[in-house]
């Protein structure tokens, strides 16, 4: 039973345009959401997060939006750069369970010139 | 730089031959995690340690064991690897102080032949 789903396995975007990566979740008890970025032969690195009490968090070119009623979050990257090409994982943490994260299967982003 | 280190990066073992994967951290974090990630799938939590307290996931096979002899080191032992245990094994840490962010090592790619 996948509690966190990333339905698009891959996304291709032109350099300079916006990349939008999507994530859906099923458990309303999730309290915190994170995005990780993974390059080949490296471990995932933390990118940006959002608490369930917010609907938007911004960090430079990266913005995460949370729609709790739809149980949906998205990561926007503007403008996209070739160095953003990586696999992006969405993760969710249950309320009071800060020791655990549930991950999605990832979306592979390719930013081409 | 503070980091999470995993050794070896690549490991090939024979069916049924025990194998141990190693993780060390210089972040002085309380919590250490082991994840299994199969191709194009989400990282799946196997277990974690909060200090010396071991927390096993309900669906982690008995074949998988872990040891944490001190704050810095954590080991994953696979007692009798099967072909289905071929995967990337990721170690991660977090400070356990109400923060969700986890910090990952580069992973060990295990192949069982």
């Amino acid at each position: 039973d996948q509690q966190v789903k990333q339905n698009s396995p891959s996304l291709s975007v032109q350099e300079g345009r916006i990349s939008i990566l999507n994530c859906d979740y099923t458990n309303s008890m999730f309290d915190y959401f994170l995005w990780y970025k993974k390059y080949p032969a490296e471990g995932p690195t933390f990118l940006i997060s959002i608490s369930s009490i917010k609907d938007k968090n911004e960090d430079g070119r990266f913005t995460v939006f949370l729609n709790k009623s739809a149980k949906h979050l998205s990561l926007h990257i503007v403008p996209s750069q070739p160095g953003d090409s990586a696999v992006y994982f969405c993760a969710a943490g249950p309320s009071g369970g800060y020791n655990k994260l549930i991950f999605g299967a990832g979306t592979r982003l390719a930013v081409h010139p | 730089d503070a980091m999470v280190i995993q050794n070896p990066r690549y490991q090939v073992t024979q069916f049924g031959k025990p194998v141990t994967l190693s993780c060390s951290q210089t972040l002085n974090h309380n919590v250490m995690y082991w994840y299994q990630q199969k191709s194009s799938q989400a990282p799946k939590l196997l277990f974690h340690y909060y200090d010396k307290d071991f927390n096993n996931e309900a669906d982690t096979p008995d074949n998988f064991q872990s040891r944490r002899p001190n704050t810095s080191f954590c080991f994953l032992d696979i007692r009798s690897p099967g072909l289905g245990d071929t995967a990337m094994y990721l170690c991660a840490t977090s400070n356990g102080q109400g923060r969700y962010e986890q910090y990952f090592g580069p992973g060990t790619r295990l192949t069982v032949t």
Side-chain angles (χ1 to χ4, degrees):
Chain A
D1 178 29
Q2 285 184 278
Q3 297 187 62
V4 178
K5 297 182 184 179
Q6 294 178 256
N7 291 318
S8 298
S10 63
L11 175 68
S12 181
V13 171
Q14 191 170 22
E15 181 178 7
R17 308 292 288 265
I18 185 171
S19 296
I20 301 176
L21 297 101
N22 294 303
C23 179
D24 296 296
Y25 61 96
T26 58
N27 190 340
S28 58
M29 295 301 291
F30 286 141
D31 197 41
Y32 204 79
F33 302 89
L34 306 90
W35 285 94
Y36 281 81
K37 175 179 179 178
K38 184 181 184 304
Y39 291 119
E42 295 183 14
T45 56
F46 170 69
L47 188 59
I48 192 170
S49 62
I50 188 167
S51 165
S52 62
I53 63 173
K54 296 186 176 182
D55 55 17
K56 177 183 175 181
N57 188 29
E58 191 172 355
D59 184 2
R61 296 185 297 114
F62 302 91
T63 303
V64 56
F65 295 92
L66 175 62
N67 182 334
K68 282 179 290 186
S69 61
K71 293 190 177 70
H72 177 84
L73 67 155
S74 60
L75 174 68
H76 293 210
I77 306 174
V78 183
S80 301
Q81 300 173 354
D84 297 328
S85 297
V87 177
Y88 289 78
F89 291 96
C90 169
S95 174
Y98 53 80
N99 288 331
K100 288 191 178 185
L101 293 178
I102 310 297
F103 283 84
T107 296
R108 183 176 302 276
L109 173 66
V111 181
H112 53 90
Chain B
D1 284 342
M3 56 177 60
V4 181
I5 301 163
Q6 291 188 245
N7 286 302
R9 295 292 308 274
Y10 301 90
Q11 176 76 56
V12 180
T13 192
Q14 292 179 330
F15 181 94
K17 185 173 181 182
V19 65
T20 294
L21 309 183
S22 169
C23 177
S24 64
Q25 55 129 342
T26 61
L27 295 159
N28 203 32
H29 281 170
N30 297 96
V31 193
M32 295 187 77
Y33 310 80
W34 280 104
Y35 289 86
Q36 179 192 63
Q37 186 185 18
K38 296 186 177 180
S39 181
S40 300
Q41 296 184 19
K44 178 180 177 297
L45 182 64
L46 296 173
F47 26 58
H48 73 276
Y49 274 94
Y50 194 120
D51 293 327
K52 291 185 181 294
D53 292 333
F54 178 69
N55 298 271
N56 199 27
E57 293 301 298
D59 57 355
T60 298
D62 292 340
N63 199 25
F64 290 83
Q65 304 285 319
S66 186
R67 297 170 282 135
R68 189 178 186 186
N70 54 52
T71 300
S72 301
F73 283 87
C74 195
F75 299 97
L76 169 62
D77 300 307
I78 309 176
R79 292 190 298 187
S80 182
L83 299 179
D85 297 328
T86 291
M88 175 72 82
Y89 290 87
L90 295 163
C91 175
T93 73
S94 70
N95 68 9
Q97 304 299 315
R99 298 295 301 270
Y100 286 87
E101 290 83 359
Q102 296 181 13
Y103 298 86
F104 284 83
T108 294
R109 183 169 297 281
L110 176 68
T111 302
V112 182
T113 61

